[in-house]
Amino acid sequence: MKKNNIVTLRPFCYIRPSLDTMTAGVIAVLVPQIVMLFVTDSYRSLILLGCTTAASVLAECIDAAALRHKRGDWNVALLQGLLIGMFLPASYPFASAFFIALCTLLVAKYAFGGLAGSWINPVAAVIIIAYFVGAVWFPAYSVPAGYLQTRNVSLALIQDGVIPTLPADSSVTAFLNETVFAFLGTSIPDGYVSLLWDSGAAVPAFRFNILTLIASLVLFSFRMLHWVVPACYVAVYAVLVKFFCPVFAGGTVGEGDILLSVLSGGTLFTAFFVLSWFGTTPLSPGGKVFYGVFAGVASFFISGYGMSPVGAMFTVLSANMISPVIQLCERMRSKATLYAKQLPKIEKIRKS
């Protein structure tokens, strides 16, 4: 008699990819940005990525050894280390990056809970600690006050050399204007191609916006990323910048520069790779919307036009602080709904 020892989940299937699959997918879409660091000779950033990744994996090893029954989340540790390295400026000392990441991650595992129970994003925690320890190595907020009254802040910064442009920017811009934008009856000025392709920022997460957008489309397509939180975050932040940012500098309402706010300061990278970290976001659709909207409002007050070196991480931390309250409300609502559905059966049992 033939024996079949193969066990499958059929006819059952996953609604979403497993945790290992999602983390592997996110790591895969980060590879092009790491390759671009090689191409652009950003070797210090690559070494920092190696230091923080090694620290994250070592922290996971120590945690797994301390809890012998626990299997290490190695994909998560690898992704966590890569993300930390992407948010550190190239000038940050290697040894400091390694030990800050190692110590902060170990403390976070025991102070804030494990992967599923954590309410603080470990990447944001490490970057904020690194900023307080070595703020001198982070770039300064690079929007001079005189530019804030300008209608097109990003263009003014590009023309004055505050935002560097690539050597091929003019030729690529001319090609796009002749072949694409001519049919739309418009054109784009020099500099925006550089802002999309490689802004030249000291922090790798701020640089390759077009690769970040492509990565997000891949993650959305394979259901490895839920769109509600990033969409609410970016939309609310962009609207607030558009209508209210110029007011604080004596400008005109409705003339804020959305492109500068979205394409600088790691706004897109944070939205797609950090803000929706496992265990830190609410579960219900309404909770996700509120979480994303709150993050957008917090980002407006913390980062302003978006060129803050760590504003995105403080935004994530602010959103993390309200997430437990939202999740508590979700649990209370679920219990109330379940009780309401069971109430007729309870009454029937009581009467009988």
Side-chain angles (χ1 to χ4, degrees), residues 59-138:
E60 192 66 28
C61 290
I62 294 173
D63 187 45
L67 304 174
R68 296 180 183 178
H69 62 279
K70 179 189 173 186
R71 180 179 63 88
D73 297 315
W74 307 114
N75 278 359
V76 175
L78 179 60
L79 174 59
Q80 202 167 244
L82 290 174
L83 292 176
I84 292 169
M86 292 294 286
F87 278 96
L88 287 175
S91 58
Y92 209 86
F94 303 138
S96 298
F98 177 84
F99 286 108
I100 290 172
L102 176 62
C103 296
T104 305
L105 290 175
L106 285 175
V107 171
K109 287 178 182 295
Y110 294 97
F112 305 125
L115 178 65
S118 176
W119 63 275
I120 288 291
N121 189 304
V123 176
V126 172
I127 299 303
I128 289 172
I129 296 297
Y131 177 73
F132 283 124
V133 171
V136 66
W137 289 298
F138 280 79

Side-chain angles (χ1 to χ4, degrees), residues 14-349:
Y14 289 110
I15 298 176
R16 294 185 64 187
S18 65
L19 176 63
D20 285 342
T21 302
M22 286 193 291
T23 51
V26 177
I27 292 171
V29 298
L30 283 176
V31 169
Q33 303 212 22
I34 298 173
V35 172
M36 281 299 298
L37 292 176
F38 274 108
V39 172
T40 56
D41 299 330
S42 304
Y43 299 120
R44 283 194 60 87
S45 293
L46 289 169
I47 296 173
L48 276 171
L49 282 174
C51 291
T52 55
T53 302
S56 181
V57 172
L58 179 58
E60 192 66 28
C61 290
I62 294 173
D63 187 45
L67 304 174
R68 296 180 183 178
H69 62 279
K70 179 189 173 186
R71 180 179 63 88
D73 297 315
W74 307 114
N75 278 359
V76 175
L78 179 60
L79 174 59
Q80 202 167 244
L82 290 174
L83 292 176
I84 292 169
M86 292 294 286
F87 278 96
L88 287 175
S91 58
Y92 209 86
F94 303 138
S96 298
F98 177 84
F99 286 108
I100 290 172
L102 176 62
C103 296
T104 305
L105 290 175
L106 285 175
V107 171
K109 287 178 182 295
Y110 294 97
F112 305 125
L115 178 65
S118 176
W119 63 275
I120 288 291
N121 189 304
V123 176
V126 172
I127 299 303
I128 289 172
I129 296 297
Y131 177 73
F132 283 124
V133 171
V136 66
W137 289 298
F138 280 79
Y141 186 81
S142 52
V143 181
Y147 288 92
L148 298 181
Q149 295 181 1
T150 307
R151 180 173 184 178
N152 197 332
V153 181
S154 57
L155 181 59
L157 292 172
I158 290 170
Q159 292 174 343
D160 291 350
V162 178
I163 297 177
T165 56
L166 300 172
D169 188 283
S170 298
S171 57
V172 174
T173 301
F175 172 77
L176 292 175
N177 285 334
E178 292 173 2
T179 58
V180 178
F181 294 103
F183 293 99
L184 302 176
T186 186
S187 63
I188 59 172
D190 292 345
Y192 283 106
V193 171
S194 298
L195 195 58
L196 272 170
W197 180 248
D198 183 3
S199 65
V203 181
F206 300 0
R207 293 180 61 176
F208 312 112
N209 287 296
I210 190 67
L211 294 181
T212 300
L213 287 171
I214 294 172
S216 69
L217 293 177
V218 173
L219 295 177
F220 287 141
S221 299
F222 289 95
R223 304 186 70 181
M224 296 180 186
L225 178 66
H226 201 282
W227 64 271
V228 173
V229 172
C232 291
Y233 164 56
V234 174
V236 170
Y237 177 44
V239 169
L240 291 175
V241 166
K242 174 67 175 176
F243 288 98
F244 300 110
C245 239
V247 177
F248 292 97
T252 305
V253 176
E255 293 188 353
D257 194 335
I258 293 178
L259 279 178
L260 181 64
S261 64
V262 172
L263 299 180
S264 67
T267 300
L268 291 179
F269 197 96
T270 301
F272 300 129
F273 293 118
V274 182
L275 189 60
S276 298
W277 188 258
F278 317 106
T280 62
T281 56
L283 299 176
S284 67
K288 290 180 184 292
V289 169
F290 186 84
Y291 183 82
V293 170
F294 180 88
V297 175
S299 185
F300 171 71
F301 286 104
I302 294 171
S303 299
Y305 262 121
M307 297 189 74
S308 170
V310 289
M313 295 296 98
F314 280 103
T315 296
V316 173
L317 184 63
S318 300
N320 288 166
M321 289 181 176
I322 69 158
S323 184
V325 179
I326 299 174
Q327 294 184 47
L328 176 62
C329 294
E330 289 175 340
R331 289 194 293 270
M332 293 174 62
R333 183 177 179 181
S334 298
K335 290 180 180 179
T337 303
L338 181 61
Y339 180 77
K341 289 182 177 180
Q342 296 295 325
L343 188 58
K345 295 182 180 179
I346 295 174
E347 293 295 334
K348 186 176 180 180
I349 292 173

